[in-house]
Amino acid sequence: MIGARDLAFPRLNLTSWYLYIIGGLLAIGAAVAGGVDTGWTFYTPYSSIYSNTHVTLTVCGIFINGFSSILTGLKLHRDDP
């Protein structure tokens, strides 16, 4: 589309970029809206059965960023054998 000959799937590249932005916005939005009280392990606090913060929103953002990484890995270059 821009004259580059080595990118085989430009729409896949664009999709992975948009997924990365969406996942990042979800994770940052959860942090701004109140954060996550689980620590880096995402375990619920030991003092209660559930967490009343935005753990689900943060995990969804991380999963979407993971799918973005998978799509980025699928991009093939035409020069590769």
Side-chain angles (χ1 to χ4, degrees):
M1 297 206 171
I2 60 171
R5 293 185 172 188
D6 62 339
L7 189 62
F9 301 111
R11 289 187 181 156
L12 186 66
N13 187 21
L14 186 65
T15 303
S16 68
W17 169 251
Y18 282 138
L19 284 177
Y20 178 75
I21 294 297
I22 290 169
L25 288 176
L26 282 175
I28 289 174
V32 169
V36 181
D37 63 351
T38 58
W40 67 274
T41 58
F42 286 106
Y43 291 144
T44 57
Y46 292 127
S47 61
S48 66
I49 297 173
Y50 62 92
S51 176
N52 56 1
T53 58
H54 305 284
V55 176
T56 306
L57 190 61
T58 305
V59 169
C60 286
I62 291 170
F63 278 136
I64 289 173
N65 276 338
F67 287 128
S68 169
S69 297
I70 290 170
L71 289 180
T72 301
L74 289 176
K75 290 187 304 188
L76 299 175
H77 293 279
R78 290 185 183 161
D79 296 335
D80 291 341

